[in-house]
Each structure stands twice: as C-alpha cells, then as structure tokens.
Amino acid sequence: MLQLKSVSHTYNGKEVLNFSDWDIRRGENWLLLGESGSGKTTLLHILTGIKKPTKGQVMINETDLYKLSSRQMDRFRGRNIGLVFQQPHLIKSLTVEENLKLAQTFAKLPEDKVRIEEVLSELGIIQKIKSYPSELSQGQLQRASIARAVLNKPTLLIADEPTSSLDNKNAKAVINLLLKLSESSNSTLIISTHDDRVKESFSKEYLL
Ligand SMILES: Nc1ncnc2c1ncn2[C@@H]1O[C@H](COP(=O)(O)OP(=O)(O)OP(=O)(O)O)[C@@H](O)[C@H]1O
C-alpha cells in the first residue's frame, strides 16, 4: 500500500539524505528508527505529502503522491492518512468535538456526529467532547489527537514520537491503542520513535 522508490532529499543544495526503498503492505506495523538528525521527520513529511522530495517517488494505494495538485493532496491526505504528532496539535479555541468536525470538513466528508462520538468513546474521552484542549490532561490530549487522526478511517496511520511526553502508563496505553485501532481498521501503522518502551511491541523496523 506504500512504496518509497529511490527517494532522496537535499537541503540547501548540500545536506543530502538518501532513503532506502521501502515497501509496506496493508495492515503491517512498522517502527521508523534513527539517530537524531538522521532524517526521520524529513521522511515522515515526505510520506505524508508535506514535503516533496528532491528525487524519487512515493506511492500510496496506487496513487503517486507528488503527482497530485495541492487541492487533490489535501483531500487525499484527509481521507487516507492519519497523523499523530509528538505534541498534540488541537486548535485551542475549539472544543474537542469542533476539532474533530474540522477534520471531516478538511477531508470534504460530511459532518458525522455519530462517528465522532464513536471514536471518542473508543478512546475513553467521550466525557470531554464539549471541553477545550486546555481542560484536558496530557494523556487525554494525546488521545484526542489520536481520535482526530483515526476519525476518517485512514489506511495509513503515522505517529511521530507519540509517547515522548507521556509517563510509562500513558505511553503503554497510547501504543496499545494505536495497535488496536490500526488492527481493527486494517490500516498500516508507522511510528517514529526513540522510545524503548515502544520497541518491544513491533517486529518490523525501517532504520535510518
Ligand atoms: N529546513 C531545513 N534546512 C536545512 N537543513 C535541514 C532542514 N530540516 C532538516 N535539516 C537537516 O536534515 C537532517 C535531518 O533532519 P530531520 O529533522 O529529518 O532529522 P530527525 O531524524 O527527525 O532528527 P530528530 O530525531 O533530532 O528530530 C539534519 O541534519 C537537519 O539538520
């Protein structure tokens, strides 16, 4: 479902990052590992349509990502790719529910309150549906941002250092949740991490 072919990226004409080819099948779970500065963030941005690589091709579900127009890209990303960041990126002036509605609107999908309630219940934060991000704990915030990422049932779920700001208990819960959600929707999961607490749950690794 995802192929990375002959991809490299050059910053300022000198910093060259070469990425080995990567072939991911639907439903697989992968860890993206590499030292600081090895290019993990760059690669995640390339995989999610945020950064066009200097060379090479990214195919997701038979779509050549960088052949899409920016409009098509926004729609494709909203429907096919769920992103979880290190720090939850929710809009502070909107409630949890409004943040999720926005994710449906961005993907040009109809507003679906039932789906929003379903996801928040699954993640154990339905009681926070009308709360603002500032009223949530760190663990709840991370779960709200996971809710947003999985809302549109993406075939590819990508998490960039999702556990680094969490304590052991929340880190384990978040990993188990990501594994469970990706399994139940048969989506592919890629997690970039330094976190040893995460490594034991995965067998496939892409090393930078
Ligand atoms: N906008 C930029 N301009 C120039 N060089 C950049 C830019 N962004 C990243 N780099 C360089 O590219 C390399 C890879 O950076 P990247 O952020 O992808 O690494 P990383 O593996 O995510 O690191 P970390 O784990 O520390 O976040 C680094 O040497 C970095 O200095």
Side-chain angles (χ1 to χ4, degrees), residues 102-190:
L102 200 61
Q104 291 173 331
T105 313
F106 274 150
K108 303 264 186 297
L109 291 168
E111 248 177 42
D112 182 350
K113 187 150 197 263
V114 174
R115 174 66 185 153
I116 291 176
E117 288 172 353
E118 178 183 270
V119 171
L120 291 177
S121 301
E122 196 172 2
L123 290 168
I125 47 168
I126 185 70
Q127 75 281 15
K128 298 290 178 187
I129 186 165
K130 301 283 182 203
S131 301
Y132 289 91
S134 61
E135 298 165 333
L136 270 60
S137 73
Q138 196 59 30
Q140 288 168 338
L141 268 180
Q142 193 55 305
R143 276 181 280 155
S145 72
I146 292 173
R148 190 186 49 187
V150 299
L151 185 69
N152 300 337
K153 304 188 177 167
T155 47
L156 178 61
L157 186 57
I158 294 188
D160 188 5
E161 301 270 1
T163 55
S164 56
S165 59
L166 300 177
D167 60 25
N168 281 342
K169 189 163 157 258
N170 276 312
K172 203 156 185 61
V174 161
I175 292 305
N176 287 340
L177 209 53
L178 287 170
L179 286 166
K180 188 179 123 204
L181 291 166
S182 70
E183 194 182 328
S184 66
S185 54
N186 193 28
S187 59
T188 300
L189 177 64
I190 301 177

Side-chain angles (χ1 to χ4, degrees), residues 9-12 15-17 19 34-45 51 86 160-161 192 194 208:
H9 192 69
T10 308
Y11 284 111
N12 307 326
E15 176 85 44
V16 182
L17 298 166
F19 300 104
E35 312 254 291
S36 175
S38 60
K40 297 182 297 300
T41 306
T42 304
L43 181 54
L44 288 185
H45 286 174
K51 190 187 288 291
Q86 182 171 357
D160 188 5
E161 301 270 1
S192 133
H194 286 111
L208 276 174

Side-chain angles (χ1 to χ4, degrees), residues 25-39:
R25 286 158 204 267
R26 180 131 202 205
E28 288 181 349
N29 298 323
W30 283 82
L31 276 186
L32 169 59
L33 300 172
E35 312 254 291
S36 175
S38 60

